[in-house]
Every structure is written in structure tokens, then in C-alpha cells.
Amino acid sequence: MRFRNSRLRTKITALLLSLAALWAFAAWVTLREGVNLLGVSSLNSGVAQPIDSLLPELQKERRLSLVWLGSPGSQQRTELDAQRMQTDQWVVKFEKLARGGAVKFAQSSLLKHNIDEAISRFKTLDSERSTIDARLTDQSRAAASFTDAIDKIYRVYDSLATLDDKQFAQDTRTTIHLNRSYELLSQEDALLSGVLAARRFGGDEYLRFVQNVGTRRYYTDEAVAELQSTDSIAYDLISNSQSLAGLRTMEDRVMQRGRKGAAPPVTAEQWRSMADASLADMKEGVFGAGGRLVKRATPIAIGVIIRLVLAAGLGLIAVIASIVVSITTARALIRQLEKLRVAAWELANQRLPSVVERLGHGESVDVAAEAPPLSFGSDAIGQVGQAFNAVQETAIRVAVEQAELRRGFRDTLLSLARRTQGLVHRQLTMLDTMERREIDASELEDLFRVDHLATRMRRNAENLIVLSGSTPARGWRRSVAMVDVVRAAVAEVEDYTRVTVLPFGPVALTGRAVGDVTHLLAELIENAVSFSPPYTEVQVGGHMAASGYAIEVEDRGLGMTDEDLAATNQRASNPPEFSPSSSVHLGLFVVGRLAERYGIRVELKRSAYGGTTAVVLIPRELVLDEAEAPVPAAVGALGAPAEAVAAPPVAAAPALAPAPAPRTEPEPAIAENVLPQPEDPRPVPELSHTPSGLPFRVPQASLAPPLRNGTPAAESRTDDDDPGRSPEEIRRIVGSYQRGTLRGRFEAGHGDALPGDSANDDEPSA
């Protein structure tokens, strides 16, 4: 599978290497025969010729050794010593030639082994000669030792290189058989010469002579029969030899008349004359046949070399042609494929993203101009190129259609969001008016709940505007205190009662970022409340950092895995293109878009309580310190018409502190849960208008006197009805909240208490 996926150049190179290896193997198979034939000359001069000369010397020493053992005379001793010197000379010469450089190059491993064994065996002849000189052995053991050494020579003969030519191999075997018969004749001569010297057959010598004669005649007849068709010269020499015929007659006489312990029926002179002539004829026939066999190998080698040149040369030409054609074809193919690859990468990385980006900016795109057809020829690659032309045209056309579809989808979202936003703003305005007129506690509490729902609906409408790529209409000309921004965000969360706002310093947020930062914090707080148990709290705190202002939203839920944290942080820092399939992470997408708009960093990390902490780092240029911050506004500053640019006013109480459900015991409003303030007995001054310009509403100021004390309402209720909070209780709660807020802001800005601290705490200021 890896080769299937490898590069085209690698595949072509592998195929060419395989072709070259196949040619090299075929050339070597042919060359090997020529090398073997050419090596015959080296082996003939380095092995065959010296061993041919050594063989008769060993045979002659064997015969003289047996003669001396049979009749140890001075003449026999002189002849034996002279022969030993002759044998040693040829042993040294054979060792020198057989281990020469030419033989080492041409010899096989088997031939080398047999040569080493023969040389080692020849070196043991001295010890056997000492045994013979001391007459510590008999003729039979002495003959066996020389025969064993001579047998090593025939092993060398058998391992000489030959050809796979059938006729040549057959002729080689015939020559070896003829040489074996020559050795058997030499053994026969040595055996009978020793008997003649001793003048009688001793031990089993007669039986061994008869066996030797029978074996020699068998090998000779087999070899002569094969020579008839292969080597007529050797055949005529051996088959017409008078000495061999006379030797046969003499052998018959010895076998017929000889017996154990008796004298041979022939004399030594008769046997010597006939045996020497027969050995000479056999030697001439054997070595003549071997020489002619070597000469026959030369033209065979030449023919093999010619075939090698033709086969290897033509094969080499074919290989070179294949390499040239493959390289040129591969280059053309790779050039076209590279052109196709470059076009595909250009389409994927440049043209298609450029088209999508231009479509995102509202520009018109010409499909024909953006997808010009490329020419790749008319071959198979060209057909692939034509298919690619169709693919790129279809891809750009689909990209245009999809971009138009997404643009239409965003426009639809924006249109619906703008309409919903306008309706919600109108609804909030009406609710604010109704809240200002209503004095009934239960009705006012219900209006607060509806106001809170409308505020959350406004955030959902703004989510659609963010998804469409536009900017919500809410904005402020002046900066707003950071604590008010956080409170406004808490007011847009459903379970706002579970959110605790920690103290914030005298830091303000620049007006242009107030609406979006409020929206961003509301989404994070909503997630923290939603993904934590209902009995836990979510804490929101802030502090100055080196590069801006950091707001931390910490929940105490189950937390997130490392993979989810990494994916969420990636999505928040680099928000992807919105698609309907990403609705599961809608809040995080909105957070990422809003943070990207102002360069705000949002990062989620593990909380020490096991939950998750969202860190919002607002850039320094969006934050105003205490000296730059304006005088704090009233509680309803974030919804006041004087501060808002394009958003209708929102009631102060529902926006920041919606009233909770009725309870049996009086408890502080949400503002006390958001930012606890210590009770201060000092009253705030009676003011007719809020700092933002809104008139204070006096509870029951417009009611008729009989209704002002609440008697009719009290009489209409039964004892089992839940009266809820009284107007006085709500007045006391709201008044306490306003007094604490105004007093804290005033003291933070001026360092002094408000004038009129001795006023009644139960009287509200608005």
C-alpha cells in the first residue's frame, strides 16, 4: 500500500531499476558460461597441467616403494630416492601454481577445497616415507597410502569447471573415466611389481590383483566405447595398442596360474616391458584427450561470448531506450500533473477564498472570468484536466450561490431581528410607563417580571443581529460605571437571583462598548447559571490588570474537560463563519463575535471550586479610571433616554433589579443580592428628578383619599388570601436601594455625605 501511494517518479525509477536488474541477471547467466570457458585456460595451466605431471610421479613412487619393500636392494633404494625428489618437485610446483592469482579468480569454492585437501595430503607423505624406510609397514598399507593421496588428485579433476553444454560435459566425464582406468593400471603395475620383487604372492595380494584387473578392464572398456564417438584419436590409440593387448594376455596368465604363496608365472622383465609400454599408451591417450577437450572449449567459449554480446548488447540497448522513453514520458506526465496540481491549489487556496470573500463584501463575481478553462492536451491527462475545468467552474458557481444564500439568510435574520428589536423596545417603553402608573404591589411585581422577560427577548434579538454580521442599535455617548454594566448584564439573565456581583472599583466603560460588553457578559453569565446546579451561586468580580480590566465569571458546576476547554477557547478567540448547524454553541459564537469587535480576550479555565471561570479582559483603551470616570448616574442610567443613542428607554428597576416573586417575609430587592450595601440611617435628600432627568414617582400621589390608605382593598380580601407586599413595603425597599446607591456613588466621587442625611429613611427619593 505504501508503494501504491508513493510518488510517480519513485514508481518509474523502481520499474527502471527492475528492468536493469533483469537485464543484468540475464547477462550474467550468459556471461557465466563464457567466464567458465575462459577460466578453463587458467585452470588448465594452473591446476590440470601440474597435477597431470604430478600424478605419474606419485604412481611411479608407489611402484618403487612396493618394489623396495619386496626387495630392499641398493639399486632399488637409489631409484626410490631419485623418484621421491622428482615427486617433491612437482608437489611444490603444483602448490605454487594452484594457489596463484589466476586460479583464485577462476576456481570455485569446491575446487579450492579439494586443492587445499590435496596439498595437505601431500605434506603427510614424508611421515609415510619414514615408515616405509623403517620397514614398519607392508606392501598393502604402503600402496593404500599412496592410492589415497592419488585419490585427492582425482577429486581435483572432478571439481574442475565445466560448461552446461551437454556434449562437452559428456566428453569431460569420458576423459575422467579413461584417466581412472589409467590409475587402476598403475595400481595393478605397482602391486605385481612388488610381488615380483618379493618373488611370491603373500597375504591377499593375488586376490587384490584379480580384483584390480577386473575393475581396470571395466573402466577401460566403458571409456573406449564412449571415445568412439567423441575422440577418434584416443579411441584408435587405445583400442589398437599392441602393448595393451599383450598386457591383457599376461594378466590372464597371472590370474590363471598364480596363487597365494606361489611365485608369479611371469618374470619381472617380462612384466616391466609390457607394463611400461601399456602405461605409456594409456597416458598418451588420456592426456591427449584432455588437451583436445581444452581446445574444444575455446570455440564454444567464443560462441558463448558472441551470444553474450548480442543478448547483453541488445538488452542493454533496450534498457537504455526504455529509460529514455520512461524519463521523457514521465517528465511530460509530471509536468501536466504539476500544472493540474498548481491549478487545483490555486483554486482551493486563492481563487475560491477570494471569490467567497468578495461575495461576503457584496461584490458581484463573474463565474466565467474566475474559472478560465485550462488546456491540458487531448490525452488521458487532458481528459482529467477537462474534468477539472468543469469541477472548478461548478465549485465557483456553487460558492457564488452559497454566498448569495448566506447573504440572503443573514439579511433575513437582520430584518427579523430589527423588527423584533423595535417591537421589544416599544414593549419596554410601554412597560416602563405602566410601571410608573401602577401602585398595586402584585400588579407591579407582575409588570417587573414581564419587563425582565422583555429584556431577555431584546438580548435574543440582538443575538440575531450579531449573527447577521451587523451591530445592535444600542449605544451610549458617555461612559458608564463598570458596576452598572455588570448589573445590567445580570438583569438580562433568567436566574439573576443566583448571581452575586462582587465590589468593583471606580472604573467606567467607554460608551461605545457599553451595549456589546453588557451583551457579552450576559451570555457568559447565562451559561454559568445554566450549567451549574440550581443551589449554587455564580460570582462576578473585576479588577484592573496590566493590559486592561479583567472581569471573572465563576460558577461552581461540574466543569469542562481539557478538550472542551481548548475547543471553546479556540471558538471564542477565532469565531468561525456562522452556519445553522452551529446553533448548539450559539452563545459562544455571539461572545466570540462581540469580543472580536473590540479586541476583548475571552478565556475559559478551571475554577478552584471544580467549575469553570470565564475571564473577560477588556482592553485598556475602553476603560476609564477614577479620575476620568463621570459622576455616577442613577440606578436607571443604562436605560435612560439621555444616555441611550438609538435604543428606547428601559425602566430602571426591571433593567437592573427585577422584583422577585412574592414572599412571606420582606427581603431586599435584587440590588442587595447583586451588590450588598450596609444600611445607613442617614437619608438621601428629597429630589424632584433623577440625575438622568427622569421625574421621581411618588407612590399613591394620584390616588383618591379613600383609596390611599388601602381600606377597600383590605376589606375585599378574605383571611385566606395572600396579600403580597404592601405599597409601603415596596416603597421602603426601592427607597433603601436608591439611597444606598446614590450615597455610595456620591461618597466615592466627593468623599462627603449627601446633604440631608437626617431625612426619614422610609421616605423614597423616587
Side-chain angles (χ1 to χ4, degrees):
M1 293 300 295
R2 293 180 61 187
F3 180 77
R4 184 182 301 175
N5 297 329
S6 60
R7 299 180 60 185
L8 182 60
R9 289 190 178 94
T10 305
K11 292 182 178 180
I12 293 177
T13 303
L15 292 176
L16 293 178
L17 290 176
S18 301
L19 180 61
L22 181 61
W23 168 82
F25 175 75
W28 167 246
V29 170
T30 308
L31 178 63
R32 185 182 60 182
E33 299 301 326
V35 170
N36 288 340
L37 284 172
L38 294 177
V40 168
S41 177
S42 298
L43 296 178
N44 180 62
S45 60
V47 178
Q49 290 181 1
I51 209 169
D52 287 345
S53 301
L54 176 61
L55 178 60
E57 303 300 332
L58 283 172
Q59 292 171 343
K60 188 175 180 180
E61 183 179 351
R62 178 178 56 189
R63 179 176 60 82
L64 293 176
S65 297
L66 296 182
V67 170
W68 188 83
L69 287 173
S71 177
S74 58
Q75 182 180 357
Q76 288 83 359
R77 184 66 194 184
T78 301
E79 293 179 354
L80 179 58
D81 291 340
Q83 182 58 45
R84 286 178 177 177
M85 293 179 60
Q86 194 73 14
T87 302
D88 291 341
Q89 291 178 1
W90 280 107
V91 168
V92 173
K93 188 174 183 180
F94 168 72
E95 181 178 1
K96 179 180 179 181
L97 294 176
R99 289 182 173 174
V103 175
K104 287 183 178 179
F105 177 77
Q107 68 183 358
S108 63
S109 59
L110 178 60
L111 177 59
K112 181 180 183 301
H113 174 73
N114 291 334
I115 290 175
D116 293 339
E117 279 194 347
I119 294 174
S120 299
R121 183 64 181 84
F122 296 155
K123 291 180 179 179
T124 63
L125 289 177
D126 291 338
S127 61
E128 296 173 355
R129 289 170 179 172
S130 299
T131 304
I132 293 173
D133 293 341
R135 300 182 65 81
L136 298 176
T137 183
D138 56 9
Q139 292 181 345
S140 177
R141 289 195 294 270
S145 63
F146 279 98
T147 301
D148 180 66
I150 293 173
D151 186 65
K152 300 298 182 182
I153 293 178
Y154 280 98
R155 290 181 181 273
V156 174
Y157 279 137
D158 293 336
S159 58
L160 286 173
T162 184
L163 295 176
D164 292 333
D165 186 272
K166 183 178 181 181
Q167 186 60 45
F168 188 86
Q170 179 65 31
D171 296 344
T172 302
R173 287 193 297 270
T174 301
T175 304
I176 293 175
H177 288 167
L178 187 62
N179 204 346
R180 287 282 186 180
S181 64
Y182 172 70
E183 162 60 15
L184 291 172
L185 178 59
S186 176
Q187 294 179 17
E188 178 185 340
D189 176 43
L191 177 61
L192 192 57
S193 298
V195 171
L196 290 172
R199 298 191 179 129
R200 68 183 181 85
F201 285 104
D204 58 348
E205 292 172 348
Y206 174 75
L207 180 59
R208 289 194 295 110
F209 177 79
V210 174
Q211 292 175 346
N212 203 340
V213 170
T215 304
R216 184 194 63 79
R217 288 181 179 182
Y218 172 76
Y219 270 96
T220 302
D221 293 341
E222 289 290 329
V224 170
E226 294 176 357
L227 286 175
Q228 186 175 4
S229 59
T230 59
D231 193 339
S232 59
I233 298 176
Y235 173 77
D236 293 339
L237 177 62
I238 295 175
S239 61
N240 299 327
S241 174
Q242 297 295 327
S243 59
L244 288 174
L247 181 65
R248 179 181 288 268
T249 302
M250 192 172 292
E251 289 171 345
D252 293 340
R253 184 190 306 172
V254 174
M255 288 187 295
Q256 291 172 3
R257 299 179 183 180
R259 63 181 183 274
K260 181 179 179 181
V266 296
T267 63
E269 290 76 9
Q270 291 174 344
W271 175 257
R272 183 81 271 127
S273 62
M274 193 61 65
D276 288 342
S278 299
L279 287 171
D281 290 345
M282 286 293 295
K283 182 178 180 180
E284 183 180 355
V286 171
F287 294 121
R292 288 187 292 272
L293 190 62
V294 172
K295 292 180 180 179
R296 285 177 52 195
T298 302
I300 297 176
I302 294 175
V304 171
I305 293 175
I306 292 175
R307 292 196 303 269
L308 169 66
V309 172
L310 293 177
L314 293 177
L316 182 60
I317 293 174
V319 170
I320 294 174
S322 300
I323 293 175
V324 172
V325 172
S326 299
I327 291 176
T328 54
T329 304
R331 283 182 177 176
L333 183 63
I334 291 174
R335 190 178 299 111
Q336 287 183 298
L337 291 177
E338 288 180 349
K339 183 178 179 182
L340 186 61
R341 181 188 62 187
V342 170
W345 280 110
E346 182 182 358
L347 173 65
N349 298 331
Q350 297 180 10
R351 285 191 290 160
L352 199 57
S354 175
V355 168
V356 173
E357 183 179 2
R358 288 160 56 192
L359 290 172
H361 295 161
E363 300 180 13
S364 60
V365 175
D366 186 2
V367 177
E370 295 296 334
L374 303 177
S375 177
F376 295 95
S378 59
D379 55 0
I381 302 298
Q383 296 175 2
V384 175
Q386 294 175 4
F388 173 76
N389 290 333
V391 168
Q392 71 169 354
E393 182 179 355
T394 303
I396 293 180
R397 182 181 295 107
V398 170
V400 172
E401 295 175 355
Q402 291 296 322
E404 293 177 352
L405 179 62
R406 287 194 298 271
R407 184 167 55 192
F409 178 71
R410 288 197 299 267
D411 293 343
T412 302
L413 287 181
L414 181 60
S415 177
L416 292 175
R418 291 299 187 192
R419 294 179 183 180
T420 304
Q421 188 182 34
L423 293 175
V424 171
H425 285 170
R426 291 171 58 188
Q427 182 181 8
L428 289 173
T429 303
M430 294 177 62
L431 287 172
D432 182 68
T433 304
M434 295 172 65
E435 290 166 0
R436 295 180 186 279
R437 292 199 308 263
E438 186 61 49
I439 61 174
D440 184 79
S442 60
E443 295 297 332
L444 186 61
E445 186 174 1
D446 291 338
L447 288 176
F448 285 168
R449 290 196 182 98
V450 175
D451 193 305
H452 185 214
L453 292 175
T455 303
R456 291 163 55 199
M457 291 171 59
R458 178 181 63 187
R459 178 161 61 90
N460 292 334
E462 291 179 352
N463 283 345
L464 295 179
I465 296 175
V466 173
L467 295 179
S468 66
S470 298
T471 304
R474 283 197 300 168
W476 280 258
R477 290 189 298 269
R478 290 186 295 176
S479 59
V480 178
M482 192 68 72
V483 65
D484 289 339
V485 175
V486 175
R487 286 173 176 172
V490 173
E492 297 184 4
V493 177
E494 181 177 4
D495 291 338
Y496 58 87
T497 58
R498 291 173 50 202
V499 181
T500 300
V501 179
L502 301 178
F504 282 72
V507 178
L509 182 67
T510 184
R512 64 184 178 88
V514 169
D516 289 339
V517 172
T518 302
H519 192 172
L520 184 150
L521 293 175
E523 293 292 341
L524 293 176
I525 296 172
E526 183 76 48
N527 282 345
V529 171
S530 301
F531 293 99
S532 59
Y535 55 83
T536 60
E537 292 184 353
V538 174
Q539 293 184 348
V540 183
H543 56 84
M544 288 297 298
S547 56
Y549 194 83
I551 299 177
E552 295 183 354
V553 180
E554 181 183 45
D555 64 59
R556 301 187 180 183
L558 298 178
M560 302 172 65
T561 63
D562 294 337
E563 293 78 7
D564 292 339
L565 281 174
T568 303
N569 289 329
Q570 177 65 22
R571 191 179 297 109
S573 59
N574 297 304
E577 185 71 20
F578 173 73
S579 64
S581 61
S582 59
S583 58
V584 178
H585 307 286
L586 185 62
L588 292 176
F589 181 86
V590 173
V591 168
R593 281 297 180 87
L594 294 175
E596 184 182 30
R597 184 176 299 167
Y598 297 98
I600 299 174
R601 288 179 53 191
V602 179
E603 183 177 355
L604 274 65
K605 63 180 182 180
R606 293 185 181 276
S607 170
Y609 299 97
T612 303
T613 299
V615 180
V616 180
L617 183 61
I618 302 175
R620 188 68 180 83
E621 59 268 15
L622 299 179
V623 180
L624 301 177
D625 55 16
E626 181 178 3
E628 299 171 333
V631 178
V635 178
L638 289 182
E643 299 293 332
V645 175
V650 182
L656 292 180
R663 301 183 184 180
T664 57
E665 295 294 334
E667 60 182 36
I670 184 60
E672 295 179 0
N673 182 52
V674 174
L675 183 63
Q677 296 285 349
E679 283 293 331
D680 193 337
R682 295 176 298 177
V684 296
E686 294 291 340
L687 302 175
S688 60
H689 291 81
T690 65
S692 59
L694 294 177
F696 283 114
R697 183 176 60 203
V698 179
Q700 300 184 359
S702 302
L703 293 179
L707 299 178
R708 192 167 297 176
N709 54 10
T711 302
E715 293 177 354
S716 62
R717 293 192 183 103
T718 63
D719 295 338
D720 297 332
D721 292 338
D722 184 9
R725 288 192 178 97
S726 64
E728 289 78 12
E729 182 181 355
I730 294 177
R731 178 171 63 86
R732 184 171 60 255
I733 291 172
V734 175
S736 176
Y737 170 73
Q738 276 191 324
R739 285 194 305 275
T741 303
L742 291 174
R743 182 170 58 251
R745 292 178 180 175
F746 188 83
E747 291 177 356
H750 300 278
D752 298 325
L754 288 171
D757 284 342
S758 61
N760 187 7
D761 287 347
D762 291 338
E763 292 297 328
S765 61

